[in-house]
Amino acid sequence: MITAIYPGSFDPVTNGHLDIIKRSAKTFDKVIVAIAQNPNKTPMFTIEERMDFLKRVINGLPNVEVDHFDGLLVDYVKEKDAHVIIKGLRAISDFEYEFQMALMNRKLDSDIETLFMMTSYKYSFLSSSMMKEVGKLGGCIAELVPDAILPDVLKRLKSV
Ligand code: PNS
């Protein structure tokens, strides 16, 4: 039984994330989508809101769970008896930072493998931060955010 951990900020989950979640769920026995509590970032949505959004969008995927963690990702992976980290790669621009993190995680724990999944072409330009910027400025984000959370995301974007 192979459990994969898909970590991230998910502030909020986008259709790009959902694409990676669905494809990971077909590839691994179990996928845990793990929201990192990053003290260096000021998120737009609380951990509880991001958990709620993720739970709504993974509805119907029986082998996917949602969780959150603080501290090191490798410690969380071990705590879950897993050894695979899934990361989505959008463009070459993601590569350097992701490569650095993968190597650091391997240095911290050589039993843990980071596997990269190429994003689907149609989401290759999409990030939560760009989506929020476009939404705040009144652009259309309907195809970028899962339908199940779109009204809540729009409501928050309008209030900031
Ligand atoms: O969605 P993001 O913000 O790009 O995800 C980054 C994340 C959460 C995967 C990364 O910041 C992380 O792993 N944080 C946990 C703390 C940690 O282990 N840091 C060292 C990583 S080399």
Side-chain angles (χ1 to χ4, degrees), residues 87-103:
K87 299 304 286 289
L89 264 192
R90 287 166 299 199
I92 299 170
S93 50
D94 279 344
F95 183 78
E96 193 166 348
Y97 179 55
E98 290 296 342
F99 187 52
Q100 212 178 354
M101 280 200 288
L103 293 189

mmCIF file with all atom_site columns, all heavy atoms in Angstrom, residues 87-103:
data_model
loop_
_atom_site.group_PDB
_atom_site.id
_atom_site.type_symbol
_atom_site.label_atom_id
_atom_site.label_alt_id
_atom_site.label_comp_id
_atom_site.label_asym_id
_atom_site.label_entity_id
_atom_site.label_seq_id
_atom_site.pdbx_PDB_ins_code
_atom_site.Cartn_x
_atom_site.Cartn_y
_atom_site.Cartn_z
_atom_site.occupancy
_atom_site.B_iso_or_equiv
_atom_site.pdbx_formal_charge
_atom_site.auth_seq_id
_atom_site.auth_comp_id
_atom_site.auth_asym_id
_atom_site.auth_atom_id
_atom_site.pdbx_PDB_model_num
ATOM 1   N N   . LYS A 1 87  ? 4.666  16.503 -5.910  1.00 0.00 ? 87  LYS A N   1
ATOM 2   C CA  . LYS A 1 87  ? 4.653  17.934 -6.201  1.00 0.00 ? 87  LYS A CA  1
ATOM 3   C C   . LYS A 1 87  ? 4.216  18.132 -7.648  1.00 0.00 ? 87  LYS A C   1
ATOM 4   O O   . LYS A 1 87  ? 4.580  17.337 -8.512  1.00 0.00 ? 87  LYS A O   1
ATOM 5   C CB  . LYS A 1 87  ? 6.056  18.552 -6.021  1.00 0.00 ? 87  LYS A CB  1
ATOM 6   C CG  . LYS A 1 87  ? 6.656  18.467 -4.629  1.00 0.00 ? 87  LYS A CG  1
ATOM 7   C CD  . LYS A 1 87  ? 5.830  19.047 -3.513  1.00 0.00 ? 87  LYS A CD  1
ATOM 8   C CE  . LYS A 1 87  ? 5.734  20.535 -3.398  1.00 0.00 ? 87  LYS A CE  1
ATOM 9   N NZ  . LYS A 1 87  ? 6.925  21.224 -2.962  1.00 0.00 ? 87  LYS A NZ  1
ATOM 10  N N   . GLY A 1 88  ? 3.467  19.184 -7.866  1.00 0.00 ? 88  GLY A N   1
ATOM 11  C CA  . GLY A 1 88  ? 3.058  19.525 -9.230  1.00 0.00 ? 88  GLY A CA  1
ATOM 12  C C   . GLY A 1 88  ? 4.097  20.474 -9.831  1.00 0.00 ? 88  GLY A C   1
ATOM 13  O O   . GLY A 1 88  ? 4.595  21.354 -9.139  1.00 0.00 ? 88  GLY A O   1
ATOM 14  N N   . LEU A 1 89  ? 4.419  20.264 -11.082 1.00 0.00 ? 89  LEU A N   1
ATOM 15  C CA  . LEU A 1 89  ? 5.354  21.175 -11.770 1.00 0.00 ? 89  LEU A CA  1
ATOM 16  C C   . LEU A 1 89  ? 4.605  21.834 -12.900 1.00 0.00 ? 89  LEU A C   1
ATOM 17  O O   . LEU A 1 89  ? 4.049  21.152 -13.765 1.00 0.00 ? 89  LEU A O   1
ATOM 18  C CB  . LEU A 1 89  ? 6.514  20.388 -12.375 1.00 0.00 ? 89  LEU A CB  1
ATOM 19  C CG  . LEU A 1 89  ? 7.813  20.248 -11.622 1.00 0.00 ? 89  LEU A CG  1
ATOM 20  C CD1 . LEU A 1 89  ? 8.867  19.689 -12.553 1.00 0.00 ? 89  LEU A CD1 1
ATOM 21  C CD2 . LEU A 1 89  ? 8.293  21.542 -10.997 1.00 0.00 ? 89  LEU A CD2 1
ATOM 22  N N   . ARG A 1 90  ? 4.599  23.165 -12.895 1.00 0.00 ? 90  ARG A N   1
ATOM 23  C CA  . ARG A 1 90  ? 3.872  23.864 -13.958 1.00 0.00 ? 90  ARG A CA  1
ATOM 24  C C   . ARG A 1 90  ? 4.793  24.239 -15.102 1.00 0.00 ? 90  ARG A C   1
ATOM 25  O O   . ARG A 1 90  ? 4.546  23.939 -16.246 1.00 0.00 ? 90  ARG A O   1
ATOM 26  C CB  . ARG A 1 90  ? 3.226  25.140 -13.406 1.00 0.00 ? 90  ARG A CB  1
ATOM 27  C CG  . ARG A 1 90  ? 2.043  24.868 -12.529 1.00 0.00 ? 90  ARG A CG  1
ATOM 28  C CD  . ARG A 1 90  ? 1.654  26.078 -11.759 1.00 0.00 ? 90  ARG A CD  1
ATOM 29  N NE  . ARG A 1 90  ? 2.759  26.494 -10.901 1.00 0.00 ? 90  ARG A NE  1
ATOM 30  C CZ  . ARG A 1 90  ? 2.646  27.271 -9.855  1.00 0.00 ? 90  ARG A CZ  1
ATOM 31  N NH1 . ARG A 1 90  ? 1.495  27.777 -9.544  1.00 0.00 ? 90  ARG A NH1 1
ATOM 32  N NH2 . ARG A 1 90  ? 3.687  27.587 -9.108  1.00 0.00 ? 90  ARG A NH2 1
ATOM 33  N N   . ALA A 1 91  ? 5.848  24.925 -14.762 1.00 0.00 ? 91  ALA A N   1
ATOM 34  C CA  . ALA A 1 91  ? 6.689  25.470 -15.827 1.00 0.00 ? 91  ALA A CA  1
ATOM 35  C C   . ALA A 1 91  ? 8.136  25.382 -15.375 1.00 0.00 ? 91  ALA A C   1
ATOM 36  O O   . ALA A 1 91  ? 8.420  25.039 -14.224 1.00 0.00 ? 91  ALA A O   1
ATOM 37  C CB  . ALA A 1 91  ? 6.301  26.925 -16.078 1.00 0.00 ? 91  ALA A CB  1
ATOM 38  N N   . ILE A 1 92  ? 9.021  25.740 -16.264 1.00 0.00 ? 92  ILE A N   1
ATOM 39  C CA  . ILE A 1 92  ? 10.451 25.677 -15.931 1.00 0.00 ? 92  ILE A CA  1
ATOM 40  C C   . ILE A 1 92  ? 10.726 26.546 -14.714 1.00 0.00 ? 92  ILE A C   1
ATOM 41  O O   . ILE A 1 92  ? 11.561 26.235 -13.883 1.00 0.00 ? 92  ILE A O   1
ATOM 42  C CB  . ILE A 1 92  ? 11.310 26.127 -17.135 1.00 0.00 ? 92  ILE A CB  1
ATOM 43  C CG1 . ILE A 1 92  ? 11.048 25.181 -18.296 1.00 0.00 ? 92  ILE A CG1 1
ATOM 44  C CG2 . ILE A 1 92  ? 12.790 26.156 -16.791 1.00 0.00 ? 92  ILE A CG2 1
ATOM 45  C CD1 . ILE A 1 92  ? 11.639 25.637 -19.605 1.00 0.00 ? 92  ILE A CD1 1
ATOM 46  N N   . SER A 1 93  ? 9.960  27.639 -14.598 1.00 0.00 ? 93  SER A N   1
ATOM 47  C CA  . SER A 1 93  ? 10.180 28.561 -13.478 1.00 0.00 ? 93  SER A CA  1
ATOM 48  C C   . SER A 1 93  ? 9.975  27.882 -12.121 1.00 0.00 ? 93  SER A C   1
ATOM 49  O O   . SER A 1 93  ? 10.555 28.306 -11.126 1.00 0.00 ? 93  SER A O   1
ATOM 50  C CB  . SER A 1 93  ? 9.255  29.766 -13.611 1.00 0.00 ? 93  SER A CB  1
ATOM 51  O OG  . SER A 1 93  ? 7.944  29.312 -13.828 1.00 0.00 ? 93  SER A OG  1
ATOM 52  N N   . ASP A 1 94  ? 9.164  26.852 -12.046 1.00 0.00 ? 94  ASP A N   1
ATOM 53  C CA  . ASP A 1 94  ? 8.975  26.130 -10.775 1.00 0.00 ? 94  ASP A CA  1
ATOM 54  C C   . ASP A 1 94  ? 10.182 25.260 -10.440 1.00 0.00 ? 94  ASP A C   1
ATOM 55  O O   . ASP A 1 94  ? 10.384 24.882 -9.295  1.00 0.00 ? 94  ASP A O   1
ATOM 56  C CB  . ASP A 1 94  ? 7.788  25.149 -10.877 1.00 0.00 ? 94  ASP A CB  1
ATOM 57  C CG  . ASP A 1 94  ? 6.445  25.830 -10.698 1.00 0.00 ? 94  ASP A CG  1
ATOM 58  O OD1 . ASP A 1 94  ? 6.418  26.957 -10.201 1.00 0.00 ? 94  ASP A OD1 1
ATOM 59  O OD2 . ASP A 1 94  ? 5.425  25.209 -11.050 1.00 0.00 ? 94  ASP A OD2 1
ATOM 60  N N   . PHE A 1 95  ? 10.926 24.907 -11.485 1.00 0.00 ? 95  PHE A N   1
ATOM 61  C CA  . PHE A 1 95  ? 11.868 23.806 -11.327 1.00 0.00 ? 95  PHE A CA  1
ATOM 62  C C   . PHE A 1 95  ? 12.940 24.052 -10.276 1.00 0.00 ? 95  PHE A C   1
ATOM 63  O O   . PHE A 1 95  ? 13.188 23.206 -9.410  1.00 0.00 ? 95  PHE A O   1
ATOM 64  C CB  . PHE A 1 95  ? 12.506 23.458 -12.682 1.00 0.00 ? 95  PHE A CB  1
ATOM 65  C CG  . PHE A 1 95  ? 13.427 22.287 -12.580 1.00 0.00 ? 95  PHE A CG  1
ATOM 66  C CD1 . PHE A 1 95  ? 12.922 20.986 -12.532 1.00 0.00 ? 95  PHE A CD1 1
ATOM 67  C CD2 . PHE A 1 95  ? 14.797 22.467 -12.475 1.00 0.00 ? 95  PHE A CD2 1
ATOM 68  C CE1 . PHE A 1 95  ? 13.763 19.903 -12.396 1.00 0.00 ? 95  PHE A CE1 1
ATOM 69  C CE2 . PHE A 1 95  ? 15.650 21.380 -12.336 1.00 0.00 ? 95  PHE A CE2 1
ATOM 70  C CZ  . PHE A 1 95  ? 15.139 20.102 -12.307 1.00 0.00 ? 95  PHE A CZ  1
ATOM 71  N N   . GLU A 1 96  ? 13.548 25.237 -10.318 1.00 0.00 ? 96  GLU A N   1
ATOM 72  C CA  . GLU A 1 96  ? 14.703 25.460 -9.449  1.00 0.00 ? 96  GLU A CA  1
ATOM 73  C C   . GLU A 1 96  ? 14.335 25.359 -7.958  1.00 0.00 ? 96  GLU A C   1
ATOM 74  O O   . GLU A 1 96  ? 15.003 24.679 -7.185  1.00 0.00 ? 96  GLU A O   1
ATOM 75  C CB  . GLU A 1 96  ? 15.337 26.814 -9.756  1.00 0.00 ? 96  GLU A CB  1
ATOM 76  C CG  . GLU A 1 96  ? 16.699 26.927 -9.105  1.00 0.00 ? 96  GLU A CG  1
ATOM 77  C CD  . GLU A 1 96  ? 17.510 28.084 -9.641  1.00 0.00 ? 96  GLU A CD  1
ATOM 78  O OE1 . GLU A 1 96  ? 17.131 28.663 -10.662 1.00 0.00 ? 96  GLU A OE1 1
ATOM 79  O OE2 . GLU A 1 96  ? 18.520 28.401 -8.986  1.00 0.00 ? 96  GLU A OE2 1
ATOM 80  N N   . TYR A 1 97  ? 13.248 26.019 -7.611  1.00 0.00 ? 97  TYR A N   1
ATOM 81  C CA  . TYR A 1 97  ? 12.808 26.005 -6.207  1.00 0.00 ? 97  TYR A CA  1
ATOM 82  C C   . TYR A 1 97  ? 12.393 24.595 -5.783  1.00 0.00 ? 97  TYR A C   1
ATOM 83  O O   . TYR A 1 97  ? 12.733 24.126 -4.693  1.00 0.00 ? 97  TYR A O   1
ATOM 84  C CB  . TYR A 1 97  ? 11.651 27.005 -6.057  1.00 0.00 ? 97  TYR A CB  1
ATOM 85  C CG  . TYR A 1 97  ? 11.059 27.100 -4.684  1.00 0.00 ? 97  TYR A CG  1
ATOM 86  C CD1 . TYR A 1 97  ? 11.854 27.382 -3.574  1.00 0.00 ? 97  TYR A CD1 1
ATOM 87  C CD2 . TYR A 1 97  ? 9.690  26.925 -4.493  1.00 0.00 ? 97  TYR A CD2 1
ATOM 88  C CE1 . TYR A 1 97  ? 11.285 27.470 -2.310  1.00 0.00 ? 97  TYR A CE1 1
ATOM 89  C CE2 . TYR A 1 97  ? 9.116  27.020 -3.234  1.00 0.00 ? 97  TYR A CE2 1
ATOM 90  C CZ  . TYR A 1 97  ? 9.915  27.290 -2.146  1.00 0.00 ? 97  TYR A CZ  1
ATOM 91  O OH  . TYR A 1 97  ? 9.360  27.378 -0.903  1.00 0.00 ? 97  TYR A OH  1
ATOM 92  N N   . GLU A 1 98  ? 11.663 23.917 -6.671  1.00 0.00 ? 98  GLU A N   1
ATOM 93  C CA  . GLU A 1 98  ? 11.211 22.564 -6.344  1.00 0.00 ? 98  GLU A CA  1
ATOM 94  C C   . GLU A 1 98  ? 12.397 21.605 -6.231  1.00 0.00 ? 98  GLU A C   1
ATOM 95  O O   . GLU A 1 98  ? 12.413 20.716 -5.375  1.00 0.00 ? 98  GLU A O   1
ATOM 96  C CB  . GLU A 1 98  ? 10.222 22.057 -7.411  1.00 0.00 ? 98  GLU A CB  1
ATOM 97  C CG  . GLU A 1 98  ? 8.879  22.773 -7.393  1.00 0.00 ? 98  GLU A CG  1
ATOM 98  C CD  . GLU A 1 98  ? 8.092  22.551 -6.093  1.00 0.00 ? 98  GLU A CD  1
ATOM 99  O OE1 . GLU A 1 98  ? 8.402  21.602 -5.339  1.00 0.00 ? 98  GLU A OE1 1
ATOM 100 O OE2 . GLU A 1 98  ? 7.175  23.351 -5.839  1.00 0.00 ? 98  GLU A OE2 1
ATOM 101 N N   . PHE A 1 99  ? 13.379 21.781 -7.112  1.00 0.00 ? 99  PHE A N   1
ATOM 102 C CA  . PHE A 1 99  ? 14.576 20.942 -7.102  1.00 0.00 ? 99  PHE A CA  1
ATOM 103 C C   . PHE A 1 99  ? 15.311 21.118 -5.773  1.00 0.00 ? 99  PHE A C   1
ATOM 104 O O   . PHE A 1 99  ? 15.701 20.156 -5.103  1.00 0.00 ? 99  PHE A O   1
ATOM 105 C CB  . PHE A 1 99  ? 15.445 21.377 -8.291  1.00 0.00 ? 99  PHE A CB  1
ATOM 106 C CG  . PHE A 1 99  ? 16.652 20.529 -8.549  1.00 0.00 ? 99  PHE A CG  1
ATOM 107 C CD1 . PHE A 1 99  ? 16.552 19.151 -8.679  1.00 0.00 ? 99  PHE A CD1 1
ATOM 108 C CD2 . PHE A 1 99  ? 17.899 21.113 -8.705  1.00 0.00 ? 99  PHE A CD2 1
ATOM 109 C CE1 . PHE A 1 99  ? 17.678 18.368 -8.942  1.00 0.00 ? 99  PHE A CE1 1
ATOM 110 C CE2 . PHE A 1 99  ? 19.024 20.345 -8.971  1.00 0.00 ? 99  PHE A CE2 1
ATOM 111 C CZ  . PHE A 1 99  ? 18.914 18.976 -9.082  1.00 0.00 ? 99  PHE A CZ  1
ATOM 112 N N   . GLN A 1 100 ? 15.423 22.398 -5.361  1.00 0.00 ? 100 GLN A N   1
ATOM 113 C CA  . GLN A 1 100 ? 16.096 22.725 -4.097  1.00 0.00 ? 100 GLN A CA  1
ATOM 114 C C   . GLN A 1 100 ? 15.364 22.062 -2.914  1.00 0.00 ? 100 GLN A C   1
ATOM 115 O O   . GLN A 1 100 ? 15.985 21.466 -2.045  1.00 0.00 ? 100 GLN A O   1
ATOM 116 C CB  . GLN A 1 100 ? 16.019 24.240 -3.954  1.00 0.00 ? 100 GLN A CB  1
ATOM 117 C CG  . GLN A 1 100 ? 17.163 24.869 -3.264  1.00 0.00 ? 100 GLN A CG  1
ATOM 118 C CD  . GLN A 1 100 ? 16.983 26.398 -3.232  1.00 0.00 ? 100 GLN A CD  1
ATOM 119 O OE1 . GLN A 1 100 ? 16.054 26.967 -3.816  1.00 0.00 ? 100 GLN A OE1 1
ATOM 120 N NE2 . GLN A 1 100 ? 17.869 27.047 -2.551  1.00 0.00 ? 100 GLN A NE2 1
ATOM 121 N N   . MET A 1 101 ? 14.035 22.180 -2.910  1.00 0.00 ? 101 MET A N   1
ATOM 122 C CA  . MET A 1 101 ? 13.271 21.591 -1.802  1.00 0.00 ? 101 MET A CA  1
ATOM 123 C C   . MET A 1 101 ? 13.389 20.068 -1.804  1.00 0.00 ? 101 MET A C   1
ATOM 124 O O   . MET A 1 101 ? 13.528 19.440 -0.749  1.00 0.00 ? 101 MET A O   1
ATOM 125 C CB  . MET A 1 101 ? 11.795 21.990 -1.891  1.00 0.00 ? 101 MET A CB  1
ATOM 126 C CG  . MET A 1 101 ? 11.525 23.375 -1.352  1.00 0.00 ? 101 MET A CG  1
ATOM 127 S SD  . MET A 1 101 ? 9.803  23.636 -0.906  1.00 0.00 ? 101 MET A SD  1
ATOM 128 C CE  . MET A 1 101 ? 9.059  23.729 -2.506  1.00 0.00 ? 101 MET A CE  1
ATOM 129 N N   . ALA A 1 102 ? 13.323 19.469 -3.009  1.00 0.00 ? 102 ALA A N   1
ATOM 130 C CA  . ALA A 1 102 ? 13.408 18.009 -3.093  1.00 0.00 ? 102 ALA A CA  1
ATOM 131 C C   . ALA A 1 102 ? 14.759 17.522 -2.564  1.00 0.00 ? 102 ALA A C   1
ATOM 132 O O   . ALA A 1 102 ? 14.838 16.531 -1.820  1.00 0.00 ? 102 ALA A O   1
ATOM 133 C CB  . ALA A 1 102 ? 13.202 17.554 -4.537  1.00 0.00 ? 102 ALA A CB  1
ATOM 134 N N   . LEU A 1 103 ? 15.828 18.252 -2.918  1.00 0.00 ? 103 LEU A N   1
ATOM 135 C CA  . LEU A 1 103 ? 17.163 17.828 -2.460  1.00 0.00 ? 103 LEU A CA  1
ATOM 136 C C   . LEU A 1 103 ? 17.323 18.038 -0.957  1.00 0.00 ? 103 LEU A C   1
ATOM 137 O O   . LEU A 1 103 ? 17.933 17.224 -0.269  1.00 0.00 ? 103 LEU A O   1
ATOM 138 C CB  . LEU A 1 103 ? 18.260 18.567 -3.229  1.00 0.00 ? 103 LEU A CB  1
ATOM 139 C CG  . LEU A 1 103 ? 18.376 18.227 -4.718  1.00 0.00 ? 103 LEU A CG  1
ATOM 140 C CD1 . LEU A 1 103 ? 19.636 18.853 -5.303  1.00 0.00 ? 103 LEU A CD1 1
ATOM 141 C CD2 . LEU A 1 103 ? 18.406 16.730 -4.977  1.00 0.00 ? 103 LEU A CD2 1
#
